[in-house]
Amino acid sequence: MTDYDTLFPITAADSADQYLELAQDAERSISQYAHAHADGVYWTTDPQAPLDLSRYHGSTGIVEFYANLYQATGSSTYGEIFAKAARFAALHWRDILLPDNIAALQRQESLPELGKSVDFGVGGVAESLRRAWYTASQDPSADPSADPSAQDLKNTIETALAQIAQWYLLIAESGEYGVHWANTSAQLFDGGIIEILIDINAILQSDEITTVIAAAGREFLSHGVRQPDGSLDFDAFAQIAERNYWRDKYYESLTGNAHTGGFVEPATIANYQRLIGSHRPNFSYGPAGAGFTLLRLYHETGDHAYLDGAKQASLFLTNHAVPQTKGFLSPHDLNTGRNLFYAGECNGIAGTAKLFLSLYALTNDESYLDTVKGYVEGLESIGVPEHQSPGLWNNVCQCCGHAGLVHFFLSLNEVHPDEHWLELANRTASVLLGTAKVTRSASGDQAIWPIAWSRLNPTRIGHPIGLRDGAAGVASSLLELYLADKGERLPRAYDDIGFWE
C-alpha cells in the first residue's frame, strides 16, 4: 500500500521553459501510439481493442493536447497533427456509439448510458471538436486564400458539431418540466450536456438549440431537493441508484449475465454495494457541479431562478464542509466518506471551488471568495500539494490529481490575483516534474507518468496517455503554466470558469 504520509517526488523547474520541454517530451511518448488513417490520425495503446474515441482516456482528447501544443509553440508539425486528428474525430464521431465501443466503455466505466455522456461519450467528442474549431478559427496561418484546407477543416468541424447538436435534440426525452437525456444532474450527464449545447450554440446560433437548452434547464433545476436549512441538494448518485443500475450490475457480476454490455472486472464489482447509498457533494455528481450548470444557465438566459438555485447549492456545500486545522474541506461522500477529502477536480476541491469562483465573479460577493480561500487553507492543512493523502494519492492526472490542481490555482489567480496562488501552482507542478518518468534517447527524450488509477489499489500502476487520465492532460497543465508565465492562457473548457467573459 502507498504510505500516505510520504512526500511526492519533487523537482522544481529552473524556468517556465522547462514546463514546455517536458510537455514536448510527453508528446514523443504519445506519438508512439499514433495511427495514420485516410481521414487523418488517431491514437490507441491497444490496436486489438475497440477504438476508444472518448475525450477522457481516448483518442479524441488528444486532439486538445495537440491544439495546446500548437498554441504554445506555433510549430507547423504540431499544427498538422492537430488538423489531421480533428478531421478524423469530426468524420468519425458516430463511431463512439458502435456496440463494441459502447460495450468497452461499459466494462471500463460501469456507468449507464455512456454514449450520451460528456467526456466518455458523444459530448466529449463535441467538446474536443469545439476546442478544435476555435484553434482552426484563430490560427494566424489559416488564411483561406492562402490555405483553403484550413477553412475546409473549420467547415468539417462545424458540420460535425451541428450533427452532434441535432443528435442530442433528437434523443432528448420529455420530463415533467422540460427535457432531459439521462435524468440525472451529474456533470457527466445532463449538466455537462447542457453546458456543451450552450457552447456549441455560441458557434451555430440556432433558435432550436436555444429552445431545448431552456427546456433542459427547467427540468435540471427540478432535480434540486430543498433542505430544511434552505439549501438545495443535487444527488446524482441517488438518481442513478433509483434506476437500480448498481443492483443490476452487481447481479451481473454474480451471474455473468451481461445485461448492460459486458462483464465487469471483479475488483470494480466489489465496490458496487459500497456505491449504493453514496452521496457525493462535489463537482461530478453533486451540488457543486449542478450549481455550476445553473450558473451557466443563468448567464445564458438571464433567469434569476438559476442564480438563486446556484446560491442554494453552494449553501448546501458550506453547511456540510468539515473544518481542518486551518480552513475546511468538502468530504468525498456524505454517507460513507466524511473523513475522506479529495483534492482534484472530479470529486475534490479543485472542482468544487469552480462554483464559488464563478459565483464571486458574477456577484462580487466577497463571501464566495472567502469560501475558496477557506478551501485552499483546508488543502494546505492536509499537505497539498507535496504530501500524499487518502484523497491525493499517486495519481497526478487532470481528473484526480496534480494536473487538475495546477489549473485550479491558475484559475484562482485569474479571478483574484495573488502571488500565493502562483506559488501553489508552481509547487504543484514540481510534483509533475518529479513524478515524470523520462527516457533519454538520441532522437529526443520521452516522458510518461506512472499513475495508479484506483485510490483503493494504489500499487496497480499504469501509464495512460489520455487527456483526463494521463500524459496528454498532465502535459497540457504544464503548457498552461508555460503560457501563464507569458501572460497567455489556454481556451476554457465547457465546465470551467470564465464563461462570463
Side-chain angles (χ1 to χ4, degrees):
M1 291 293 291
T2 299
D3 181 357
Y4 291 123
D5 292 327
T6 62
L7 287 166
F8 287 99
I10 294 168
T11 301
D14 297 326
S15 71
D17 288 344
Q18 196 169 343
Y19 298 139
L20 174 61
E21 291 166 6
L22 189 56
Q24 291 176 307
D25 293 346
E27 187 277 333
R28 293 188 191 95
S29 286
I30 293 167
S31 68
Q32 299 176 92
Y33 302 101
H35 296 265
H37 187 278
D39 293 329
V41 65
Y42 63 88
W43 291 264
T44 179
T45 56
D46 184 359
Q48 306 305 314
L51 178 58
D52 184 351
L53 284 166
S54 74
R55 178 178 184 256
Y56 195 93
H57 41 46
S59 180
T60 302
I62 297 175
V63 173
E64 295 183 45
F65 169 56
Y66 275 92
N68 296 339
L69 266 175
Y70 186 33
Q71 177 180 333
T73 66
S75 165
S76 60
T77 299
Y78 298 142
E80 289 170 8
I81 297 171
F82 151 73
K84 290 177 181 179
R87 185 177 300 280
F88 183 89
L91 295 175
H92 289 267
W93 70 266
R94 294 179 182 83
D95 293 358
I96 203 168
L97 297 169
L98 293 173
D100 285 350
N101 294 347
I102 290 294
L105 280 172
Q106 292 292 102
R107 285 192 295 272
Q108 185 164 357
E109 302 303 331
S110 310
L111 284 166
E113 302 180 286
L114 280 170
K116 298 178 182 180
S117 75
V118 178
D119 276 0
F120 297 112
V122 171
V125 180
E127 170 62 9
S128 291
L129 288 175
R130 183 186 71 88
R131 169 72 171 92
W133 186 88
Y134 281 106
T135 297
S137 300
Q138 296 169 4
D139 181 357
S141 68
D143 179 358
S145 62
D147 183 7
S149 65
Q151 184 62 39
D152 179 62
L153 174 61
K154 184 179 173 183
N155 292 342
T156 300
I157 295 170
E158 195 167 319
T159 297
L161 289 174
Q163 292 168 344
I164 290 172
Q166 282 301 312
W167 181 78
Y168 273 117
L169 267 56
L170 284 171
I171 66 169
E173 300 178 31
S174 296
E176 185 176 354
Y177 299 93
V179 300
H180 62 83
W181 290 273
N183 202 27
T184 165
S185 57
Q187 273 286 316
L188 187 62
F189 292 109
D190 288 4
I193 292 169
I194 290 170
E195 293 160 22
I196 280 176
L197 285 177
I198 289 172
D199 286 343
I200 291 177
N201 206 32
I203 297 171
L204 301 180
Q205 298 292 306
S206 162
D207 290 341
E208 185 180 12
I209 297 175
T210 299
T211 299
V212 169
I213 289 169
R218 294 192 300 272
E219 185 74 10
F220 188 88
L221 183 57
S222 74
H223 285 298
V225 178
R226 182 72 58 194
Q227 304 297 298
D229 59 11
S231 67
L232 274 181
D233 182 21
F234 291 82
D235 185 0
F237 257 73
Q239 293 156 8
I240 293 171
E242 284 172 2
R243 296 151 65 190
N244 295 321
Y245 182 76
W246 302 118
R247 184 193 66 191
D248 291 345
K249 294 295 285 183
Y250 184 70
Y251 170 79
E252 177 185 331
S253 74
L254 298 176
T255 66
N257 186 352
H259 295 301
T260 53
F263 196 84
V264 197
E265 290 187 11
T268 303
I269 289 293
N271 295 321
Y272 282 158
Q273 293 290 42
R274 178 182 58 82
L275 291 171
I276 297 172
S278 289
H279 188 173
R280 298 186 181 180
N282 295 308
F283 198 76
S284 287
Y285 294 102
F292 183 88
T293 300
L294 293 174
L295 277 185
R296 293 223 55 190
L297 283 162
Y298 164 66
H299 184 260
E300 180 72 8
T301 67
D303 188 338
H304 279 261
Y306 296 127
L307 176 60
D308 292 341
K311 291 178 178 179
Q312 292 152 6
S314 75
L315 178 62
F316 183 91
L317 289 160
T318 54
N319 285 352
H320 288 83
V322 179
Q324 304 298 306
T325 305
K326 288 184 67 178
F328 43 82
L329 295 170
S330 289
H332 177 251
D333 193 306
L334 294 176
N335 291 339
T336 62
R338 289 194 62 82
N339 293 314
L340 172 61
F341 307 103
Y342 274 35
E345 282 197 2
C346 180
N347 280 297
I349 298 305
T352 298
K354 288 191 282 191
L355 170 59
F356 292 90
L357 275 176
S358 300
L359 276 166
Y360 169 64
L362 290 172
T363 66
N364 292 315
D365 186 334
E366 292 279 342
S367 68
Y368 296 119
L369 179 61
D370 290 340
T371 298
V372 178
K373 291 177 180 178
Y375 278 139
V376 174
E377 289 181 343
L379 288 174
E380 292 181 288
S381 291
I382 62 171
V384 172
E386 290 90 0
H387 287 83
Q388 292 194 22
S389 69
L392 189 64
W393 64 103
N394 50 331
N395 178 355
V396 298
C397 77
Q398 204 176 78
C399 175
C400 302
H402 289 74
L405 281 165
V406 166
H407 178 70
F408 165 54
F409 292 130
L410 289 176
S411 298
L412 177 51
N413 188 63
E414 286 188 36
V415 174
H416 182 72
D418 189 304
E419 285 298 318
H420 185 52
W421 315 141
L422 290 177
E423 176 201 345
L424 283 168
N426 283 287
R427 283 168 51 193
T428 305
S430 296
V431 176
L432 299 181
L433 269 63
T435 54
K437 181 180 179 181
V438 180
T439 303
R440 310 293 182 186
S441 75
S443 59
D445 296 344
Q446 296 179 9
I448 200 76
W449 282 268
I451 284 175
W453 177 246
S454 172
R455 175 181 62 83
L456 299 178
N457 192 1
T459 60
R460 184 179 179 182
I461 305 296
H463 300 87
I465 65 170
L467 180 71
R468 297 288 287 155
D469 76 327
V474 176
S476 291
S477 292
L478 294 173
L479 291 172
E480 189 174 6
L481 265 170
Y482 169 75
L483 288 170
D485 186 66
K486 297 179 177 299
E488 304 173 30
R489 63 171 172 79
L490 296 175
R492 310 285 192 188
Y494 71 97
D495 60 351
D496 201 5
I497 68 161
F499 55 84
W500 55 83
E501 295 175 350

